Amino acid sequence: MNFQKSDIYKVEELHHPRANWLQPLVLLAPSGIWLLLLLVLPTLIIFQLSLVADIRPGDLVNPNGFKNYIRIFDPLYVQVIVRSLFFAFGTTIICLILGFPVAYWIAQIAPQRWRNLLLLAFVLPLWTSSLLRSYAWITILRPTGLLNSLLSNLGLPTLELLNQSQAVFIGMSYSLLPYMVLILYASLEKLDKRLLEAAADLGANPVETFWQVTVPQIFPGIAAASMLVFITGLGDFVDPELLGGASSMTAARLVYNQFLGATQNWGFGSALSMTLILLVSIAIALLIKFGETAPKR
């Protein structure tokens, strides 16, 4: 075949370093601009507001120090942040304990033709509003609700769950459990059964096989699912607000009060927001570092 000189120039342009640099830039430009306008710039604005003490709507922004961040270390606010971490971590543990058997059963035991249908049925609650799900739990857990009515009919003592930490755990676990199951299912579906058979042939009991063969294979999935539930639970506002009552104040609710509550303080609310962003960033960094660790063979 005969190539024209112009064709050779076109090939050289495609392999030119500048072309190789511009191609990914063009592809990433739409999403990059979107993230810049809706994530980076708002975060910078929040950080700027966090450096202004006692700023309210309409005040001039004049950054003057880290007083708002120092205020976070007040024992009252430290307790709120610790409670938020407690709810997020506890919900992660509950979802992992409840979600792993379900994901394992769907991925390894349930018939192949039913798996997609089972997953669809399990994530159906996500099709409804989180607000609606929380109100449904209020109907179930209130003193005259469905749960206590059932216990009374059975002659059992009633439970005071609404406006307690237990109700927050129930609501958050119910809301976030499908995420845990979906990610664990994706990992368990790829489980190498040959390694399980080899472990059994070598005399390993089921417990040893689980901890030394199954868990290392799906550890990236466990880490990803746990971090997703933890991060989402850390910023959950609806469940603690509706199910926990005044005794379950969390960082998300505290941020809301600083921006839209009666005592507005945008500077302190921004500092709390930046603190939550920092905690989430640490969680994501841990996920990137440990979540992609290859299982040991």
Side-chain angles (χ1 to χ4, degrees):
M1 294 179 62
N2 296 324
F3 291 96
Q4 297 181 1
K5 186 177 295 185
S6 59
D7 295 331
I8 297 176
Y9 289 153
K10 291 180 180 179
V11 173
E12 291 179 351
E13 289 178 358
L14 289 175
H15 290 84
H16 194 275
R18 180 178 297 177
N20 294 334
W21 178 77
L22 287 176
Q23 288 175 359
L25 183 62
V26 172
L27 293 174
L28 294 175
S31 60
I33 295 173
W34 182 267
L35 290 175
L36 178 65
L37 294 177
L38 298 181
L39 178 63
V40 178
L41 290 181
T43 302
L44 293 177
I45 294 173
I46 291 175
F47 178 69
Q48 184 183 28
L49 290 175
S50 69
L51 300 177
V52 184
D54 300 323
I55 186 174
R56 298 176 181 275
D59 294 345
L60 294 176
V61 178
N62 183 23
N64 52 23
F66 295 90
K67 295 180 180 179
N68 291 320
Y69 290 96
I70 297 174
R71 186 179 175 187
I72 294 176
F73 291 96
D74 184 283
L76 177 62
Y77 301 124
V78 171
Q79 183 180 4
V80 172
I81 295 176
V82 170
R83 185 183 297 117
S84 301
L85 294 172
F86 172 69
F87 282 144
F89 183 76
T91 301
T92 303
I93 297 299
I94 293 172
C95 289
L96 183 59
I97 293 174
L98 296 179
F100 190 91
V102 175
Y104 187 89
W105 181 78
I106 296 176
Q108 298 293 328
I109 300 177
Q112 180 69 36
R113 64 180 182 276
W114 293 106
R115 290 179 184 176
N116 291 334
L117 184 61
L118 290 171
L119 286 175
L120 178 63
F122 201 80
V123 301
L124 275 179
L126 296 179
W127 294 14
T128 61
S129 169
S130 59
L131 188 63
L132 181 62
R133 296 197 298 267
S134 295
Y135 275 115
W137 277 112
I138 292 176
T139 304
I140 296 173
L141 299 177
R142 65 186 180 184
T144 58
L146 180 62
L147 177 62
N148 283 328
S149 298
L150 179 61
L151 294 176
S152 298
N153 293 333
L154 295 176
L156 299 174
T158 58
L159 301 174
E160 294 290 337
L161 295 176
L162 193 61
N163 297 328
Q164 303 291 334
S165 298
Q166 295 89 330
V168 178
F169 280 121
I170 291 173
M172 291 177 63
S173 300
Y174 175 77
S175 298
L176 300 177
L177 185 60
Y179 299 110
M180 177 69 73
V181 171
L182 286 176
I183 298 178
L184 290 179
Y185 169 81
S187 296
L188 287 166
E189 191 181 28
K190 303 173 184 177
L191 191 65
D192 191 347
K193 294 184 178 180
R194 295 173 299 176
L195 297 178
L196 302 180
E197 296 172 356
D201 293 339
L202 293 173
N205 58 48
V207 175
E208 293 174 338
T209 302
F210 174 77
W211 287 109
Q212 298 182 21
V213 180
T214 302
V215 171
Q217 287 191 75
I218 64 170
F219 179 76
I222 295 175
S226 299
M227 286 301 175
L228 176 61
V229 172
F230 177 83
I231 292 171
T232 308
L234 187 62
D236 193 354
F237 172 81
V238 175
D239 291 314
E241 175 71 19
L242 297 181
L243 301 176
S247 61
S248 298
M249 175 64 69
T250 60
R253 294 174 62 189
L254 187 58
V255 170
Y256 173 85
N257 291 339
Q258 300 304 315
F259 281 96
L260 301 175
T263 58
Q264 293 186 0
N265 187 342
W266 285 18
F268 184 57
S270 298
L272 287 169
S273 300
M274 293 303 301
T275 302
L276 290 179
I277 291 174
L278 176 62
L279 293 175
V280 170
S281 300
I282 293 173
I284 294 175
L286 292 175
L287 174 61
I288 294 175
K289 182 173 180 58
F290 298 105
E292 297 298 330
T293 303
K296 297 180 180 179
R297 299 277 177 120

